Amino acid sequence: MSTKIQFKNVSRHFGEGADRFVALQNLDLDIEDGEFVTVVGPSGCGKSTAMNIAAGLLDTSSGEALVDGEEVNGPGPERGMIFQQYALFPWLSVRKNVEFGLKIQGLPKEERKKISDRYLELVGLTDFADALPKTLSGGMKQRCAIARAYAVNPKILLMDEPFGALDALTRVNMQDQLLDTWSRERRTIMFITHDVDEAVYMANRVIVMASRPGRLKEIIPVNLPYPRTEDIRLSPEFAEIRNRVWHAVYHQ
Amino acid sequence: MTEQVLQPVAEVRPKTQFRIAELYRKSQGLLLNLLALFLGLGFWTLVTRAGVVGLPGPVGVAERFVELASSGQLFVDIGSSLSRVLTGFLLGVSVAVPIGFLMGWYKTARSLIEPYVQFFRMVPPLAVIPLAIVTMGIDETPKIFVIFLAAFLSSVVATYQGVISVDKTLVSAARVLGAGDARIFLSVIVPASVPFILVGFRIGLGASWATVVAAELIAAQSGLGFRMQQAQLYYELDTIFVSLITIGFLGLVMDRLVQAAEQRLTTWQERV
Ligand SMILES: Nc1ncnc2c1ncn2[C@@H]1O[C@H](COP(=O)(O)OP(=O)(O)OP(=O)(O)O)[C@@H](O)[C@H]1O
Ligand SMILES: [Mg+2]
């Protein structure tokens, strides 16, 4: 396996002088091609900061981030991102939001519609294709953002608490769908969550971070087979890993 | 397919009920508006009848209105005031919007232009009239210039505010989806700043209207302001009233038109 995303001693601070705040300190992390890693840690420990650096939306203060062995220099179409705050374009309908990236790629209208139909169906928003984002619930907005990111078919998915606003049932559905597409298409996924259960259920490895300053605390491998099922979720092995992660997060 | 056919039918009942309730609420508001209007007219009649002040009553003003309208004078005046406002306003906003975008988009442009904009914002456009007359003569140019200034200053600030308050995550989202600078500008910055720009237009149009009337009071051979200034010389109070009411009414109509455009163009906005 080759390394897809690489953080090499990455640090990032905000502000200067007395306001100087270290959001991320000396992060060293390799994410392999086709791997599914989840990132957990207390609020403000630099999870989003690390992800924005990988996305090319934020510069490092020192160290470097590499994707496919090349230094990250701005966003690229091979890296899709789902933002913690949905970031839907409020003046575009749900469908037009989903088709935004496809339009940039210059796809003809019929083809765009075919693709958006497919992903709207996947996230269960077919009936809301023409609705404006302001009429959607938080969970529906998030599903629209997911469809928009999936639609451009990126090799790497950077997901910042993508299922955070979903109700428990939709959440489990989306988890299984994501795992299903991932095991078929083997994208590389970096997935931030604050739900320890979700972190263990989805991942090859769980990255646990600590705060003040934001840093890597522990990497916990999840040696459970895919497809992950209800049985696995209820197994003693799962419980044991979950306890380890829980401990790493909450007893810092 | 069947579902799509069925959906509207299921929606009919609550929708009509809602419409009726809304209509009732609206007509109630309208009734109160009309009542207020009649009360106001009644008060005006009473005050003038009682001879408290030496002002013309509603009937005298209405008669004068009919006279001025049937002679065509009123419409000539309205025409010249409106054409000044629209020319100045359109020129003003068509320069203001690109410059506002430039200021919002490029830090250098902002630093270069902003001091001037902020400074001239503090100078009432009317205060420029003496200078404009001296340098531009007494024809239409100085009047259109001050209206241009009024419209320009309010719209340029609004546009620039619009650009700098665009949600940064929307820009990030577009960039992650592969958008370059030009695409971000056209597909994110422009639509996101439309609400701000329209607010600027509304303020700008109000300022232009106020400015044109005042400019005509000072220097013009036609227009509603000029008519009032003439009437003042001959002590024609009823003509002044007709002009004032026309000015207020036209200002209101223009404001409502921009407001309606605003509502239509920004339906996507979350309103509280
Ligand atoms: N643009 C910025 N300017 C100043 N400080 C920032 C900025 N972005 C992030 N920070 C700070 O850096 C720290 C890490 O932020 P980050 O968003 O990465 O946290 P997080 O782990 O994603 O938290 P959460 O779980 O709440 O989303 C926070 O303390 C935050 O206040
Ligand atoms: Mg975050």
Side-chain angles (χ1 to χ4, degrees), chain A residues 52-87:
Chain A
N52 280 318
I53 287 171
L57 292 170
L58 203 62
D59 290 331
T60 60
S61 300
S62 65
E64 56 180 358
L66 307 174
V67 168
D68 285 327
E70 288 190 28
E71 191 167 355
V72 171
N73 184 16
E78 80 288 356
R79 277 162 288 150
M81 176 147 179
I82 294 169
F83 293 83
Q84 202 169 356
Q85 316 86 340
Y86 324 131

Side-chain angles (χ1 to χ4, degrees), chain B residues 51-71:
Chain B
V52 180
V53 281
L55 291 177
V59 180
V61 171
E63 279 167 9
R64 185 72 191 140
F65 178 83
V66 173
E67 256 174 65
L68 284 171
S70 52
S71 73

Side-chain angles (χ1 to χ4, degrees), chain B residues 23-97:
Chain B
L23 211 67
Y24 177 73
R25 246 186 304 121
K26 271 193 181 158
S27 62
Q28 207 180 22
L30 202 67
L31 255 121
L32 282 174
N33 290 159
L34 283 176
L35 184 70
L37 193 66
F38 278 112
L39 283 177
L41 281 174
F43 180 70
W44 181 10
T45 316
L46 272 180
V47 170
T48 47
R49 281 273 166 82
V52 180
V53 281
L55 291 177
V59 180
V61 171
E63 279 167 9
R64 185 72 191 140
F65 178 83
V66 173
E67 256 174 65
L68 284 171
S70 52
S71 73
Q73 176 90 78
L74 184 65
F75 300 109
V76 174
D77 288 337
I78 289 177
S80 39
S81 291
L82 274 184
S83 74
R84 280 177 195 135
V85 161
L86 293 183
T87 316
F89 175 75
L90 290 178
L91 282 174
V93 299
S94 49
V95 178
V97 171

Side-chain angles (χ1 to χ4, degrees), chain B residues 52 70 75 108 174 183 197 202 205 222 227 234 244-245 257:
Chain B
V52 180
S70 52
F75 300 109
T108 332
R183 168 75 67 162
I197 295 175
R202 212 173 146 198
L205 194 57
S222 63
R227 192 60 50 208
Y234 302 106
L244 277 179
I245 292 171
L257 286 177

